[in-house]
Amino acid sequence: MRVILRRMHSPYRIAQIIVGLVTLSFAGCGADSPQITAKPQTLDQLARDYLVLELAMGQVDPAHVDAYFGPGELAEQARLNGWTLVQIDREAAKLTASLQSARNESNALRIDGLVGRIAALRMRHRILSGQKPDFDEESEALFGAVAPDRDAAYYDAVLEEIDTLLPGEATLAERVDVFRQQFTIPPDKLDAVFRAAMAECRARTLQRIELPANERFQIEYVSDKPWSGYNWYKGDSESLIQFNTDLPTSIDRAVDLGCHEGYPGHHTFNALVEQELVNKRGWIEYALYPLFSPQSLVAEGTGNYGIQLAFPAADRVSFEREVLFPLAGLDVGEADRYYALLDRLSALNFAGNEAARDFLNGDISKQEAIDWLQRYSLSSRARAEQRLHFIETYRSYVINYNLGQALVAEWVSADGASQEQRWRKFSELLIQPVVPGSLGRSLAETT
């Protein structure tokens, strides 16, 4: 693992970058024609062309379109076009040219954002076509960001602290796993605990953010997935939130997933994007969320940062001990040491990126990646294997969780913002059409 250190920009500069990059736009096939043409079109027409292009990619890559609640005829047009990857890339190039020719002072930010989205789509095309870009090149093209690259020595120092907290003869990963087992939610208590956590996440969010009156969600429990939770946004302010029950779920994950997938995370984000950008501004391109795009850096970053925003440390501990522990039937006797452990484990958040980078670059084998995850993420083998399955499926997407959180935290907390100010800035970020771009690059490394 090589070490690359880059200097971070000041919070003021970060704010400048965000303000300078707050627009996305998209384009797609006109409803009258199955092919994208180079003739002059309005930006709204180009936005429809963009939607057809992304939906066509979704026909080839089922993971590509995370959510779509736009016109059904555009989805049907994409299906009837039946474009291959080669055709999709060709149409992407043509659409980029059309957008650039339509660019003027009044629409520059929107078009620049769209061009960046299409560039991400074209990187995804390269990957699906069998090319193997460097991990950092890939993440920068898809998400506008490059994660810090730290060697084992950085993580070894954290492991020494955890070793002191949980002394014993077994390996540290085994000790952590055994200790955490006593904080596992029993399967028959899972639904009650999750619903209580979701209700509290929602209540705290609604005190700060006004959501559409009809916003709602459903919960499902699933298995055989590479992720622990997923929000499937359906449009009209409705989400299907799925929780994966493949592996035991610890008590802290209820708040984590409730905030991240629901409030003030993905459900909140998507409902506000639909309300503010699609319905109020008429930017139809936001009726589609392409998973492999810069939007994911912001979506996952706000999803993770929203946990600590809704539940400052002391509040969270009190809520879990007083409400969730009893619901799960768990003993609070070792709770203090448990929360101390969670605090130190958070310092290992970027360790998974190292395994992903080296594995996808071909520098380590699958077994070596699993070994790294077990050692430096302190995961059980089963959890390490699930994590590697995620990496194999979503590749450099892993950077969006930890790096995205760091980006959002840096901006929202800039200049010593109060809790009230952090909520306000966070709310503004959710409804801004942000393209991270150079923002991601500037915050990708820590000193």
Side-chain angles (χ1 to χ4, degrees), residues 31 36 46 82 85 111 181 232 339 349 363 367 369 445:
I36 295 175
L46 290 172
L85 276 173
I111 284 184
Q181 286 176 18
W232 302 99
Y339 286 111
N349 279 346
D363 296 331
Q367 184 56 56
E445 303 294 344

mmCIF file of all heavy atoms in Angstrom, residues 31 36 46 82 85 111 181 232 339 349 363 367 369 445:
data_model
loop_
_atom_site.group_PDB
_atom_site.id
_atom_site.type_symbol
_atom_site.label_atom_id
_atom_site.label_comp_id
_atom_site.label_asym_id
_atom_site.label_seq_id
_atom_site.Cartn_x
_atom_site.Cartn_y
_atom_site.Cartn_z
ATOM 1 N N ALA A 31 -38.784 12.493 -27.807
ATOM 2 C CA ALA A 31 -39.800 11.442 -27.803
ATOM 3 C C ALA A 31 -40.173 11.016 -29.215
ATOM 4 O O ALA A 31 -40.678 9.925 -29.428
ATOM 5 C CB ALA A 31 -41.034 11.931 -27.050
ATOM 6 N N ILE A 36 -30.554 9.949 -31.021
ATOM 7 C CA ILE A 36 -30.160 11.296 -30.622
ATOM 8 C C ILE A 36 -29.568 12.000 -31.831
ATOM 9 O O ILE A 36 -28.733 11.451 -32.534
ATOM 10 C CB ILE A 36 -29.126 11.240 -29.487
ATOM 11 C CG1 ILE A 36 -29.776 10.633 -28.236
ATOM 12 C CG2 ILE A 36 -28.557 12.607 -29.174
ATOM 13 C CD1 ILE A 36 -28.822 10.420 -27.107
ATOM 14 N N LEU A 46 -32.952 18.201 -24.512
ATOM 15 C CA LEU A 46 -31.703 17.486 -24.283
ATOM 16 C C LEU A 46 -31.759 16.703 -22.975
ATOM 17 O O LEU A 46 -31.163 15.626 -22.864
ATOM 18 C CB LEU A 46 -30.533 18.473 -24.261
ATOM 19 C CG LEU A 46 -30.168 19.103 -25.609
ATOM 20 C CD1 LEU A 46 -29.130 20.201 -25.421
ATOM 21 C CD2 LEU A 46 -29.666 18.066 -26.586
ATOM 22 N N GLY A 82 -32.727 -0.543 -27.845
ATOM 23 C CA GLY A 82 -31.889 -1.731 -27.729
ATOM 24 C C GLY A 82 -30.423 -1.474 -28.017
ATOM 25 O O GLY A 82 -29.727 -2.329 -28.590
ATOM 26 N N LEU A 85 -23.465 -1.485 -25.890
ATOM 27 C CA LEU A 85 -22.523 -0.603 -25.207
ATOM 28 C C LEU A 85 -21.821 0.326 -26.184
ATOM 29 O O LEU A 85 -21.612 1.515 -25.887
ATOM 30 C CB LEU A 85 -21.491 -1.437 -24.443
ATOM 31 C CG LEU A 85 -21.892 -1.933 -23.053
ATOM 32 C CD1 LEU A 85 -20.831 -2.877 -22.514
ATOM 33 C CD2 LEU A 85 -22.095 -0.764 -22.097
ATOM 34 N N ILE A 111 -25.413 22.676 -17.783
ATOM 35 C CA ILE A 111 -24.807 21.877 -18.847
ATOM 36 C C ILE A 111 -23.468 21.291 -18.404
ATOM 37 O O ILE A 111 -23.161 20.129 -18.705
ATOM 38 C CB ILE A 111 -24.668 22.720 -20.129
ATOM 39 C CG1 ILE A 111 -26.038 22.851 -20.793
ATOM 40 C CG2 ILE A 111 -23.640 22.092 -21.089
ATOM 41 C CD1 ILE A 111 -26.046 23.578 -22.102
ATOM 42 N N GLN A 181 -20.767 -9.777 19.756
ATOM 43 C CA GLN A 181 -21.897 -10.697 19.683
ATOM 44 C C GLN A 181 -22.933 -10.441 20.770
ATOM 45 O O GLN A 181 -24.133 -10.662 20.569
ATOM 46 C CB GLN A 181 -21.402 -12.144 19.750
ATOM 47 C CG GLN A 181 -20.745 -12.630 18.467
ATOM 48 C CD GLN A 181 -20.179 -14.033 18.604
ATOM 49 O OE1 GLN A 181 -20.543 -14.777 19.510
ATOM 50 N NE2 GLN A 181 -19.281 -14.396 17.690
ATOM 51 N N TRP A 232 -34.665 1.972 -2.072
ATOM 52 C CA TRP A 232 -35.172 1.979 -3.456
ATOM 53 C C TRP A 232 -36.232 3.072 -3.527
ATOM 54 O O TRP A 232 -37.342 2.909 -3.029
ATOM 55 C CB TRP A 232 -35.774 0.622 -3.817
ATOM 56 C CG TRP A 232 -34.818 -0.526 -3.676
ATOM 57 C CD1 TRP A 232 -34.715 -1.399 -2.634
ATOM 58 C CD2 TRP A 232 -33.808 -0.915 -4.617
ATOM 59 N NE1 TRP A 232 -33.720 -2.314 -2.865
ATOM 60 C CE2 TRP A 232 -33.135 -2.041 -4.072
ATOM 61 C CE3 TRP A 232 -33.403 -0.428 -5.867
ATOM 62 C CZ2 TRP A 232 -32.091 -2.691 -4.724
ATOM 63 C CZ3 TRP A 232 -32.360 -1.072 -6.518
ATOM 64 C CH2 TRP A 232 -31.717 -2.181 -5.952
ATOM 65 N N TYR A 339 -19.238 1.284 23.396
ATOM 66 C CA TYR A 339 -19.195 2.561 22.687
ATOM 67 C C TYR A 339 -17.763 3.066 22.540
ATOM 68 O O TYR A 339 -17.430 3.722 21.541
ATOM 69 C CB TYR A 339 -20.078 3.589 23.389
ATOM 70 C CG TYR A 339 -21.549 3.327 23.175
ATOM 71 C CD1 TYR A 339 -22.360 2.898 24.215
ATOM 72 C CD2 TYR A 339 -22.108 3.464 21.915
ATOM 73 C CE1 TYR A 339 -23.705 2.632 24.006
ATOM 74 C CE2 TYR A 339 -23.451 3.202 21.699
ATOM 75 C CZ TYR A 339 -24.242 2.773 22.744
ATOM 76 O OH TYR A 339 -25.570 2.499 22.522
ATOM 77 N N ASN A 349 -12.250 3.394 9.239
ATOM 78 C CA ASN A 349 -13.252 3.504 8.182
ATOM 79 C C ASN A 349 -12.688 3.397 6.773
ATOM 80 O O ASN A 349 -13.339 2.892 5.861
ATOM 81 C CB ASN A 349 -14.029 4.822 8.308
ATOM 82 C CG ASN A 349 -15.130 4.730 9.345
ATOM 83 O OD1 ASN A 349 -15.495 3.642 9.783
ATOM 84 N ND2 ASN A 349 -15.663 5.877 9.753
ATOM 85 N N ASP A 363 -3.158 -5.921 -7.509
ATOM 86 C CA ASP A 363 -1.944 -5.987 -6.690
ATOM 87 C C ASP A 363 -2.017 -7.056 -5.604
ATOM 88 O O ASP A 363 -0.978 -7.485 -5.086
ATOM 89 C CB ASP A 363 -1.668 -4.623 -6.041
ATOM 90 C CG ASP A 363 -1.379 -3.544 -7.083
ATOM 91 O OD1 ASP A 363 -0.855 -3.889 -8.157
ATOM 92 O OD2 ASP A 363 -1.691 -2.370 -6.817
ATOM 93 N N GLN A 367 -7.945 -13.720 -1.709
ATOM 94 C CA GLN A 367 -7.680 -14.153 -0.336
ATOM 95 C C GLN A 367 -6.918 -13.092 0.438
ATOM 96 O O GLN A 367 -7.195 -12.853 1.621
ATOM 97 C CB GLN A 367 -6.875 -15.451 -0.332
ATOM 98 C CG GLN A 367 -6.619 -16.031 1.056
ATOM 99 C CD GLN A 367 -7.915 -16.270 1.822
ATOM 100 O OE1 GLN A 367 -8.813 -16.971 1.340
ATOM 101 N NE2 GLN A 367 -8.031 -15.693 3.008
ATOM 102 N N ALA A 369 -7.119 -9.909 -0.041
ATOM 103 C CA ALA A 369 -8.072 -8.834 0.249
ATOM 104 C C ALA A 369 -8.932 -9.203 1.456
ATOM 105 O O ALA A 369 -9.191 -8.363 2.329
ATOM 106 C CB ALA A 369 -8.949 -8.573 -0.966
ATOM 107 N N GLU A 445 -7.554 13.645 -0.007
ATOM 108 C CA GLU A 445 -6.424 13.212 0.807
ATOM 109 C C GLU A 445 -6.351 13.997 2.104
ATOM 110 O O GLU A 445 -6.788 15.127 2.187
ATOM 111 C CB GLU A 445 -5.111 13.425 0.044
ATOM 112 C CG GLU A 445 -5.061 12.718 -1.304
ATOM 113 C CD GLU A 445 -5.072 11.215 -1.172
ATOM 114 O OE1 GLU A 445 -4.814 10.704 -0.075
ATOM 115 O OE2 GLU A 445 -5.357 10.548 -2.168
#
